Amino acid sequence: MTDSTTASAPKPSSSVKLVLLGEAAVGKSSLVLRFVNNDFQPNKEPTIGAAFLTQKCQLPSRTIKFEIWDTAGQERFASLAPMYYRNAQSALVVYDITKPSSLVKAKHWVAELQRQASPGIVIALVGNKLDLCDDDSPEDDAQDGENVDGHEEEAVRKVSTAEAKAYADEESLLFYETSAKTGHNVSEVFTAIANAIPETSLKGPRGGAGGGTQAAISGGGGQDSSRVNLNARGDAGAKEGCAC
Amino acid sequence: MSTTEHSAQSSTGQRPDVGPDSNNGSPPPLADARQHDEGTLEQSKELRPPLPARPDLMERGQTAGAGSLRLSKRAARPQLQSQATTALSLADVHTADRLESGDLKSSPASRAVSRKPSFAYSLRHASTAASEVDDGASVRSDMPAAGSRLDGESMLGDLIEGASTPAFKALSAQIERADPFDGTLAEDDILSTQMQYELHDVASVDADGTNEEALLKIWKAKLKHFFILSASGKPIYSRHGDDQLISHYIGVVQTLISFYQGANDPLKGFTAGDARFVLLSKGPLNLVAVSRLGESDAQLRTQLESLYMQILSTLTLPSLERMFSYRPSTDLRRPLEGTDVLLDGLADGFTRGSPSTLLSALECLRLRKSHRRVVDETLLKVRSSNLLYGLIVAAGRLVSVVRPKKHSLHPGDLHLIFNMLFEAGSVKAGGGENWIPLCLPGFNNTGFLYMYVSFFSTSEDVHSPEAERPSSGGKDDELAIVLISANKDSFFELRQMREDLVIQLEKNGSMAVIKTAIRKGHASCADITPGTVLKHFLYKSRGNVQFTMPSFEPHFHGLVARRKLMSLYHNLHESIHSRTSHLKVQHTIAYDSTALAWETPLFELYCVASSNASRAALVQGANKVVSWIRREEERVFIIGGAVF
């Protein structure tokens, strides 16, 4: 960031691969949607598989192009996570501040990232649904459609800022509390991540980061047992009559 | 034919009329009815023998369950007693109506009997006589057909009976009034009313349970329910109502199922009141459909199969079986977490009435042959090496397909994909591109494929993924590119292919052609068959496993009208497909619509016109449709497709 690039000259641009992880229904997709489209959908349906989005983030000295993998939080997708986080330069681990179990899950993800992901990965811990805890929030409807506990009597904070912050400090994570619904702190998180990415790991637009992405995807092997073998299909020919 | 079926039937009261009961107990009404029919018919003697028809009926009843045709029957069944006259003298439905209404009250039980014969009769009659009877004979000769349709009768029954079983009445009213054209809803047409709220969610029960009773009422008013439970009785899915609300009922269903399973005679279906229950056992799962919309057992079973395929698509068969073999009490809700939207999408599609499911066929976007060929060639040109299937899909209609020579696409699989893309909003709502592991059970139920999905809005030109995120879903103008691979590492490869494809399609003008075709929507029936009485039709090309239809507008506006139309189609479909019928043509008349079903080895055609249309006019319309298809075949259907 000490680059001496002046405002008039085109800023260097780099791609940064970012993965979102966290329990189902904590608001991962909503955060991304807020960041990318500045939009919020009150009853968003659960993500299936993973969504891939891109968004640019302007820093004073350069442009960061985020390549975002927004993963589904359901347990059955957990085994696919490595192919999204491998070689990622940054990760956003999200929990729901009204749901303590989601922080536990977030801690698991952090541990897994620290163990398996690339060593220099920048991890941000994000407590979402801050709007539910505002004194003045009139509606207590779930911020995210995946949320099943929206009707519980106290849609209020269950995870204290201090507790999460202490944990984040201990693990040297970035830490924010956000609201995808109001947009509070959302762009701040991404800007903070962009700033925290070490200069050295930034390369050309489709260079290191892009290549890293490719490598990450292809590196995710290990579960080929569930793979369909196209050539082992004896009965496939039977369906050939169907012209669809 | 199992004993189970028997007992089920007797409880319904529907089958018994036709089946053993009527055989043994009340032959006279049957005979009467038949004679009466013949009397009206006059010429067609060969139809006379009363007995041959009976197995037909029984068979129908059992295999088809509560067919749509049967719907009307069911309505009337409870109260009819040997009103031979009513069933048969339907030359003028309205007259009959009046007659019946008087009689019905007095003799509820046997009307069904009389009706049944007429039904059987009509089946026979229609197949043989439809072609040969001179229209000059007009009303009289037509009559049997009208009788066959039964609607007139049931309608009567309903009218009278309505007070006692309002829902039932509503139900039949809906079906009977399949005519979209009059558009008037009786004030007391509960079914139509209910249909409008049918797809609304039932709220969850309060913590203190105070609202349970009210919710239960709403829940019970639903015309259609789907339940999935594990073999050990754990609830897995219910379209309506949360666990707390439905747990008793799941328990009852489980008891019923296991009782018959214990006797090695699995329960397949039964009728209770105006609702038909159909059960399907699939490995460790039991699926239950409850319908008051008059679908047949076979049709409901197809719908359950589709739900089951959705579960396989999420889990794959081996993993499903593994879970239950390790622990029979597995709670499948957890592994299926988040897929309720997909199951709901399917279920609601069935409730609305899906031509695609009814016909087990796909619908394609109409494109000129030369245009489609260009699209096909482009697909082949940009095909990446890991591609298994590539689809261009517009609002649930297929634009083009690229596939390996030795693998075709199973319609059921495509239906699952379409449902995921267009009914459940999660994929397109997320914006961006998606990478979705899924199993296509029709293709291979043991493993996952990986599906790349990218949506375009057709209203504006888009070149970059960033620009094309649809904020709200007008689902009729959406174009999706779907690329499926068996290789889970091929996201970026397929993404590149998508980019190449879009560039090429833009360059050769195909994108504009496709978007124009999408915006144009379905052609109206009047454009396809100008000058005919037809209001709507379904045409299925058997060889291509595809169907085509005109727009629902302007004659069928809104959910209720469409459901009525679909119910009529279900009736027709059932009468042609029931296992024992050998119908080729069926002509039915109700007080609000006339319809024709026509089956040949090449196609199935179902046409609907308003009630005053003559049979000749209907036939003329049907012929026009067929010749239109002949001209347009390579436009409305994908023939061959892009194969590599």
Side-chain angles (χ1 to χ4, degrees), chain B residues 271-292:
Chain B
T271 303
D274 53 359
R276 182 69 191 168
F277 289 67
V278 170
L279 301 95
L280 179 69
S281 182
K282 284 283 186 185
L285 305 184
N286 287 307
L287 301 92
V288 184
V290 183
S291 172
R292 290 190 282 159

PDB file of all heavy atoms in Angstrom, chain B residues 271-292:
ATOM      1  N   THR B 271     -59.248 -44.342  -0.074  1.00  0.00           N
ATOM      2  CA  THR B 271     -59.963 -43.084  -0.123  1.00  0.00           C
ATOM      3  C   THR B 271     -60.627 -42.846   1.214  1.00  0.00           C
ATOM      4  O   THR B 271     -61.174 -43.761   1.813  1.00  0.00           O
ATOM      5  CB  THR B 271     -61.034 -43.120  -1.230  1.00  0.00           C
ATOM      6  OG1 THR B 271     -60.391 -43.411  -2.463  1.00  0.00           O
ATOM      7  CG2 THR B 271     -61.734 -41.788  -1.330  1.00  0.00           C
ATOM      8  N   ALA B 272     -60.540 -41.653   1.684  1.00  0.00           N
ATOM      9  CA  ALA B 272     -61.230 -41.284   2.919  1.00  0.00           C
ATOM     10  C   ALA B 272     -61.965 -39.997   2.635  1.00  0.00           C
ATOM     11  O   ALA B 272     -61.366 -38.985   2.308  1.00  0.00           O
ATOM     12  CB  ALA B 272     -60.228 -41.107   4.051  1.00  0.00           C
ATOM     13  N   GLY B 273     -63.289 -40.064   2.744  1.00  0.00           N
ATOM     14  CA  GLY B 273     -64.061 -38.878   2.413  1.00  0.00           C
ATOM     15  C   GLY B 273     -63.813 -38.507   0.973  1.00  0.00           C
ATOM     16  O   GLY B 273     -63.938 -39.338   0.077  1.00  0.00           O
ATOM     17  N   ASP B 274     -63.431 -37.295   0.763  1.00  0.00           N
ATOM     18  CA  ASP B 274     -63.222 -36.860  -0.610  1.00  0.00           C
ATOM     19  C   ASP B 274     -61.752 -36.869  -0.987  1.00  0.00           C
ATOM     20  O   ASP B 274     -61.369 -36.339  -2.014  1.00  0.00           O
ATOM     21  CB  ASP B 274     -63.793 -35.460  -0.799  1.00  0.00           C
ATOM     22  CG  ASP B 274     -63.253 -34.505   0.232  1.00  0.00           C
ATOM     23  OD1 ASP B 274     -62.457 -34.952   1.090  1.00  0.00           O
ATOM     24  OD2 ASP B 274     -63.602 -33.321   0.187  1.00  0.00           O
ATOM     25  N   ALA B 275     -60.937 -37.434  -0.156  1.00  0.00           N
ATOM     26  CA  ALA B 275     -59.496 -37.393  -0.420  1.00  0.00           C
ATOM     27  C   ALA B 275     -58.977 -38.769  -0.798  1.00  0.00           C
ATOM     28  O   ALA B 275     -59.353 -39.777  -0.216  1.00  0.00           O
ATOM     29  CB  ALA B 275     -58.745 -36.888   0.804  1.00  0.00           C
ATOM     30  N   ARG B 276     -58.131 -38.782  -1.795  1.00  0.00           N
ATOM     31  CA  ARG B 276     -57.493 -40.018  -2.190  1.00  0.00           C
ATOM     32  C   ARG B 276     -56.088 -40.051  -1.602  1.00  0.00           C
ATOM     33  O   ARG B 276     -55.331 -39.084  -1.711  1.00  0.00           O
ATOM     34  CB  ARG B 276     -57.418 -40.083  -3.716  1.00  0.00           C
ATOM     35  CG  ARG B 276     -56.804 -41.369  -4.260  1.00  0.00           C
ATOM     36  CD  ARG B 276     -57.688 -42.567  -4.027  1.00  0.00           C
ATOM     37  NE  ARG B 276     -56.967 -43.829  -4.309  1.00  0.00           N
ATOM     38  CZ  ARG B 276     -57.421 -45.027  -3.983  1.00  0.00           C
ATOM     39  NH1 ARG B 276     -58.570 -45.146  -3.342  1.00  0.00           N
ATOM     40  NH2 ARG B 276     -56.745 -46.111  -4.267  1.00  0.00           N
ATOM     41  N   PHE B 277     -55.757 -41.163  -0.990  1.00  0.00           N
ATOM     42  CA  PHE B 277     -54.428 -41.353  -0.421  1.00  0.00           C
ATOM     43  C   PHE B 277     -53.671 -42.364  -1.276  1.00  0.00           C
ATOM     44  O   PHE B 277     -54.203 -43.433  -1.559  1.00  0.00           O
ATOM     45  CB  PHE B 277     -54.519 -41.909   1.007  1.00  0.00           C
ATOM     46  CG  PHE B 277     -55.027 -40.922   2.015  1.00  0.00           C
ATOM     47  CD1 PHE B 277     -56.332 -40.468   1.958  1.00  0.00           C
ATOM     48  CD2 PHE B 277     -54.209 -40.460   3.028  1.00  0.00           C
ATOM     49  CE1 PHE B 277     -56.822 -39.560   2.882  1.00  0.00           C
ATOM     50  CE2 PHE B 277     -54.680 -39.550   3.970  1.00  0.00           C
ATOM     51  CZ  PHE B 277     -55.979 -39.103   3.888  1.00  0.00           C
ATOM     52  N   VAL B 278     -52.492 -42.011  -1.645  1.00  0.00           N
ATOM     53  CA  VAL B 278     -51.665 -42.951  -2.404  1.00  0.00           C
ATOM     54  C   VAL B 278     -50.332 -43.089  -1.699  1.00  0.00           C
ATOM     55  O   VAL B 278     -49.730 -42.085  -1.294  1.00  0.00           O
ATOM     56  CB  VAL B 278     -51.463 -42.481  -3.861  1.00  0.00           C
ATOM     57  CG1 VAL B 278     -50.415 -43.323  -4.551  1.00  0.00           C
ATOM     58  CG2 VAL B 278     -52.775 -42.568  -4.620  1.00  0.00           C
ATOM     59  N   LEU B 279     -49.893 -44.313  -1.517  1.00  0.00           N
ATOM     60  CA  LEU B 279     -48.653 -44.547  -0.792  1.00  0.00           C
ATOM     61  C   LEU B 279     -47.646 -45.235  -1.688  1.00  0.00           C
ATOM     62  O   LEU B 279     -47.997 -46.099  -2.491  1.00  0.00           O
ATOM     63  CB  LEU B 279     -48.921 -45.403   0.444  1.00  0.00           C
ATOM     64  CG  LEU B 279     -49.914 -44.790   1.423  1.00  0.00           C
ATOM     65  CD1 LEU B 279     -51.306 -45.321   1.165  1.00  0.00           C
ATOM     66  CD2 LEU B 279     -49.499 -45.060   2.837  1.00  0.00           C
ATOM     67  N   LEU B 280     -46.422 -44.830  -1.513  1.00  0.00           N
ATOM     68  CA  LEU B 280     -45.354 -45.402  -2.319  1.00  0.00           C
ATOM     69  C   LEU B 280     -44.211 -45.737  -1.383  1.00  0.00           C
ATOM     70  O   LEU B 280     -43.759 -44.908  -0.600  1.00  0.00           O
ATOM     71  CB  LEU B 280     -44.906 -44.386  -3.375  1.00  0.00           C
ATOM     72  CG  LEU B 280     -43.776 -44.814  -4.299  1.00  0.00           C
ATOM     73  CD1 LEU B 280     -44.245 -45.903  -5.232  1.00  0.00           C
ATOM     74  CD2 LEU B 280     -43.280 -43.620  -5.102  1.00  0.00           C
ATOM     75  N   SER B 281     -43.763 -46.970  -1.459  1.00  0.00           N
ATOM     76  CA  SER B 281     -42.672 -47.384  -0.597  1.00  0.00           C
ATOM     77  C   SER B 281     -41.413 -47.533  -1.432  1.00  0.00           C
ATOM     78  O   SER B 281     -41.401 -48.239  -2.428  1.00  0.00           O
ATOM     79  CB  SER B 281     -43.043 -48.712   0.064  1.00  0.00           C
ATOM     80  OG  SER B 281     -42.014 -49.092   0.931  1.00  0.00           O
ATOM     81  N   LYS B 282     -40.387 -46.803  -1.040  1.00  0.00           N
ATOM     82  CA  LYS B 282     -39.134 -46.833  -1.783  1.00  0.00           C
ATOM     83  C   LYS B 282     -37.998 -47.109  -0.818  1.00  0.00           C
ATOM     84  O   LYS B 282     -37.547 -46.208  -0.112  1.00  0.00           O
ATOM     85  CB  LYS B 282     -38.896 -45.482  -2.463  1.00  0.00           C
ATOM     86  CG  LYS B 282     -39.746 -45.255  -3.695  1.00  0.00           C
ATOM     87  CD  LYS B 282     -39.192 -46.035  -4.852  1.00  0.00           C
ATOM     88  CE  LYS B 282     -39.921 -45.724  -6.145  1.00  0.00           C
ATOM     89  NZ  LYS B 282     -39.444 -46.566  -7.241  1.00  0.00           N
ATOM     90  N   GLY B 283     -37.545 -48.333  -0.784  1.00  0.00           N
ATOM     91  CA  GLY B 283     -36.452 -48.652   0.113  1.00  0.00           C
ATOM     92  C   GLY B 283     -36.780 -48.207   1.534  1.00  0.00           C
ATOM     93  O   GLY B 283     -37.826 -48.553   2.080  1.00  0.00           O
ATOM     94  N   PRO B 284     -35.916 -47.394   2.107  1.00  0.00           N
ATOM     95  CA  PRO B 284     -36.129 -46.986   3.489  1.00  0.00           C
ATOM     96  C   PRO B 284     -37.133 -45.845   3.629  1.00  0.00           C
ATOM     97  O   PRO B 284     -37.342 -45.361   4.727  1.00  0.00           O
ATOM     98  CB  PRO B 284     -34.735 -46.516   3.923  1.00  0.00           C
ATOM     99  CG  PRO B 284     -34.060 -46.100   2.675  1.00  0.00           C
ATOM    100  CD  PRO B 284     -34.629 -46.923   1.566  1.00  0.00           C
ATOM    101  N   LEU B 285     -37.744 -45.436   2.562  1.00  0.00           N
ATOM    102  CA  LEU B 285     -38.658 -44.296   2.635  1.00  0.00           C
ATOM    103  C   LEU B 285     -40.076 -44.700   2.269  1.00  0.00           C
ATOM    104  O   LEU B 285     -40.297 -45.582   1.441  1.00  0.00           O
ATOM    105  CB  LEU B 285     -38.216 -43.183   1.682  1.00  0.00           C
ATOM    106  CG  LEU B 285     -36.805 -42.650   1.816  1.00  0.00           C
ATOM    107  CD1 LEU B 285     -36.596 -41.500   0.846  1.00  0.00           C
ATOM    108  CD2 LEU B 285     -36.555 -42.192   3.241  1.00  0.00           C
ATOM    109  N   ASN B 286     -41.019 -44.013   2.906  1.00  0.00           N
ATOM    110  CA  ASN B 286     -42.403 -44.120   2.495  1.00  0.00           C
ATOM    111  C   ASN B 286     -42.885 -42.738   2.095  1.00  0.00           C
ATOM    112  O   ASN B 286     -42.660 -41.763   2.819  1.00  0.00           O
ATOM    113  CB  ASN B 286     -43.272 -44.651   3.634  1.00  0.00           C
ATOM    114  CG  ASN B 286     -43.045 -46.132   3.880  1.00  0.00           C
ATOM    115  OD1 ASN B 286     -43.135 -46.932   2.953  1.00  0.00           O
ATOM    116  ND2 ASN B 286     -42.721 -46.490   5.112  1.00  0.00           N
ATOM    117  N   LEU B 287     -43.542 -42.683   0.965  1.00  0.00           N
ATOM    118  CA  LEU B 287     -44.044 -41.401   0.485  1.00  0.00           C
ATOM    119  C   LEU B 287     -45.564 -41.481   0.381  1.00  0.00           C
ATOM    120  O   LEU B 287     -46.110 -42.510  -0.009  1.00  0.00           O
ATOM    121  CB  LEU B 287     -43.447 -41.051  -0.876  1.00  0.00           C
ATOM    122  CG  LEU B 287     -41.921 -40.941  -0.941  1.00  0.00           C
ATOM    123  CD1 LEU B 287     -41.293 -42.255  -1.334  1.00  0.00           C
ATOM    124  CD2 LEU B 287     -41.500 -39.847  -1.909  1.00  0.00           C
ATOM    125  N   VAL B 288     -46.210 -40.399   0.768  1.00  0.00           N
ATOM    126  CA  VAL B 288     -47.662 -40.385   0.785  1.00  0.00           C
ATOM    127  C   VAL B 288     -48.164 -39.130   0.074  1.00  0.00           C
ATOM    128  O   VAL B 288     -47.676 -38.034   0.327  1.00  0.00           O
ATOM    129  CB  VAL B 288     -48.188 -40.361   2.232  1.00  0.00           C
ATOM    130  CG1 VAL B 288     -49.720 -40.434   2.239  1.00  0.00           C
ATOM    131  CG2 VAL B 288     -47.600 -41.497   3.041  1.00  0.00           C
ATOM    132  N   ALA B 289     -49.123 -39.327  -0.806  1.00  0.00           N
ATOM    133  CA  ALA B 289     -49.790 -38.181  -1.426  1.00  0.00           C
ATOM    134  C   ALA B 289     -51.251 -38.214  -1.025  1.00  0.00           C
ATOM    135  O   ALA B 289     -51.869 -39.275  -0.997  1.00  0.00           O
ATOM    136  CB  ALA B 289     -49.661 -38.245  -2.943  1.00  0.00           C
ATOM    137  N   VAL B 290     -51.785 -37.058  -0.690  1.00  0.00           N
ATOM    138  CA  VAL B 290     -53.197 -36.944  -0.361  1.00  0.00           C
ATOM    139  C   VAL B 290     -53.758 -35.880  -1.288  1.00  0.00           C
ATOM    140  O   VAL B 290     -53.266 -34.756  -1.310  1.00  0.00           O
ATOM    141  CB  VAL B 290     -53.391 -36.501   1.092  1.00  0.00           C
ATOM    142  CG1 VAL B 290     -54.880 -36.464   1.430  1.00  0.00           C
ATOM    143  CG2 VAL B 290     -52.653 -37.427   2.034  1.00  0.00           C
ATOM    144  N   SER B 291     -54.748 -36.256  -2.054  1.00  0.00           N
ATOM    145  CA  SER B 291     -55.241 -35.291  -3.035  1.00  0.00           C
ATOM    146  C   SER B 291     -56.751 -35.247  -3.065  1.00  0.00           C
ATOM    147  O   SER B 291     -57.418 -36.277  -3.022  1.00  0.00           O
ATOM    148  CB  SER B 291     -54.715 -35.651  -4.425  1.00  0.00           C
ATOM    149  OG  SER B 291     -55.337 -34.841  -5.389  1.00  0.00           O
ATOM    150  N   ARG B 292     -57.263 -34.041  -3.144  1.00  0.00           N
ATOM    151  CA  ARG B 292     -58.683 -33.876  -3.401  1.00  0.00           C
ATOM    152  C   ARG B 292     -58.897 -33.244  -4.769  1.00  0.00           C
ATOM    153  O   ARG B 292     -59.918 -32.653  -5.044  1.00  0.00           O
ATOM    154  CB  ARG B 292     -59.303 -33.000  -2.307  1.00  0.00           C
ATOM    155  CG  ARG B 292     -59.361 -33.731  -0.977  1.00  0.00           C
ATOM    156  CD  ARG B 292     -60.192 -32.972   0.022  1.00  0.00           C
ATOM    157  NE  ARG B 292     -59.441 -31.871   0.581  1.00  0.00           N
ATOM    158  CZ  ARG B 292     -60.019 -30.816   1.162  1.00  0.00           C
ATOM    159  NH1 ARG B 292     -61.322 -30.732   1.242  1.00  0.00           N
ATOM    160  NH2 ARG B 292     -59.272 -29.852   1.642  1.00  0.00           N
TER     161      ARG B 292
END
